[in-house]
């Protein structure tokens, strides 16, 4: 309890510092939500705060033991500890193997697309996640973004991988539905002007749906549907 009381007192002594820290954490979590990485960003923010807290406590105890008054230069210590936590944490994240293996599973056979235009639109809007032809963007090499990218791609391929339609159609029979209701491509993917080529105009969307209606297996009420 004394632990929390002393930290709380420190926060009250440095309201500006505390406000900046809280603002930074909140912005980070909002950013995480916008790029579809909410659980990860909340976890990281919580971890960073926890580590920062512990570092400050250790510093305060050492100071106290050395006979110096804990509050002196406390604000500066907090800033230095905060920056160090962020930098060291960022460095450690880069060592995590998940998200670095930018491999593509084998191509076993795509749907029999109605025409080349249908395929081109699908490649533009969907293949960055639902295919074995993912070209990883530069930011997919840097954690924690690499984790978010990898998780989206793993999840997306788990639902349907159009490059493996021949062996496993997955949820391909929901293709027309998700394009029509606008849930795919996901909003976070094209936010902030990212992946602009995946943004289809209304005309392109209509053209794509028309093409998919002539492509076997793309809708549940398709008589030639092969999926399940
Ligand atoms: C940024 C990556 C990404 C892109 C681009 C993307 N998807 Fe998805 N898709 C996902 C993820 C992740 C899921 C699984 C989670 C979910 O359902 O939201 C998913 C799920 C699906 C599902 C299964 C839906 C269900 O309810 O089971 C279908 C079908 C689908 N996507 C089709 C498409 C089509 C068609 C496009 C292109 C118009 C597309 N997706 C673009 C990531 C993506």
């Amino acid at each position: 309890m004394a632990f929390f009381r002393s930290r709380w007192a420190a926060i009250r002594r440095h309201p500006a510092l505390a406000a900046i820290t809280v603002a930074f954490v909140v912005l980070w979590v909002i950013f995480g939500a916008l790029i579809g990485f909410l659980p990860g960003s909340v976890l990281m923010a919580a971890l960073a705060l926890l580590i920062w807290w512990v570092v400050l406590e250790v510093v305060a105890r050492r100071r106290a033991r050395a006979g110096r008054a804990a509050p002196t230069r406390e604000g500066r210590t907090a800033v230095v500890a905060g920056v160090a936590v962020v930098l060291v944490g960022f460095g450690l994240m880069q060592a995590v193997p998940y998200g670095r293996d930018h491999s593509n599973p084998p191509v076993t056979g795509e749907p029999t697309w109605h025409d080349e235009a249908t395929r081109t639109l699908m490649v533009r809007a969907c293949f960055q996640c639902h295919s074995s032809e993912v070209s990883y963007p530069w930011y997919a090499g840097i954690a924690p973004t690499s984790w978010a990218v990898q998780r989206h791609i793993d999840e997306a391929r788990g639902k349907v991988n159009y490059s493996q339609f021949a062996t496993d159609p997955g949820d391909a029979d929901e293709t027309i539905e998700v394009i029509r209701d606008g849930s795919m491509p996901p909003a976070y993917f094209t936010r902030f002007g990212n992946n602009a080529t995946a943004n289809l105009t209304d005309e392109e969307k209509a053209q794509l749906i028309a093409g998919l209606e002539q492509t076997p297996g793309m809708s549940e009420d398709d008589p030639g549907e092969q999926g399940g």
Side-chain angles (χ1 to χ4, degrees):
M1 235 37 242
F3 175 83
F4 288 103
R5 232 178 295 120
S6 75
R7 294 302 87 192
W8 177 240
I11 289 172
R12 275 197 311 200
R13 272 196 302 278
H14 305 285
L17 185 63
I20 290 170
T21 307
V22 169
F24 184 79
V25 167
V26 169
L27 283 178
W28 166 249
V29 169
I30 291 175
F31 174 72
L34 288 177
I35 64 164
F37 190 54
L38 185 59
S41 68
V42 169
L43 190 76
M44 283 169 52
L47 267 179
L49 280 178
L50 187 76
I51 296 171
W52 186 47
W53 201 265
V54 169
V55 169
L56 283 186
E57 183 62 18
V58 169
V59 171
R61 288 207 180 153
R62 286 182 130 206
R63 284 243 168 102
R65 227 183 299 138
R68 272 176 282 165
T72 36
R73 307 247 190 113
E74 191 180 49
R76 205 193 58 168
T77 307
V79 172
V80 171
V83 171
V85 164
V86 169
L87 288 182
V88 171
F90 189 74
L92 286 178
M93 277 180 217
Q94 309 312 313
V96 174
Y98 179 74
R100 280 196 300 177
D101 169 29
H102 291 170
S103 62
N104 275 303
V107 175
T108 62
E110 291 183 17
T112 314
W113 305 113
H114 172 58
D115 56 10
E116 197 48 39
T118 306
R119 180 176 193 274
T120 306
L121 288 170
M122 282 296 288
V123 169
R124 265 178 56 190
C126 321
F127 271 39
Q128 269 301 83
C129 299
H130 294 283
S131 83
S132 299
E133 295 177 25
V134 172
S135 56
Y136 288 80
W138 65 267
Y139 52 79
I142 303 167
T145 324
S146 54
W147 306 341
V149 171
Q150 191 65 49
R151 190 174 60 92
H152 292 150
I153 292 173
D154 288 350
E155 249 180 56
R157 281 182 183 148
K159 292 282 186 182
V160 49
N161 179 343
Y162 293 101
S163 303
Q164 299 190 334
F165 179 80
T167 47
D168 178 14
D171 284 348
D173 59 3
E174 288 174 34
T175 303
I176 293 176
E177 193 186 317
V178 295
I179 296 173
R180 200 170 262 148
D181 71 19
S183 60
M184 290 285 147
Y188 62 74
F189 187 57
T190 50
R191 205 167 264 141
F192 304 131
N194 275 333
N195 305 295
T197 52
N199 256 333
L200 304 182
T201 63
D202 287 348
E203 270 156 54
E204 286 170 332
K205 225 168 121 172
Q207 187 194 355
L208 175 57
I209 289 172
L212 289 173
E213 278 166 347
Q214 305 298 318
T215 303
M218 296 297 118
S219 124
E220 273 166 349
D221 37 56
D222 167 5
E225 106 118 303
Q226 314 168 32

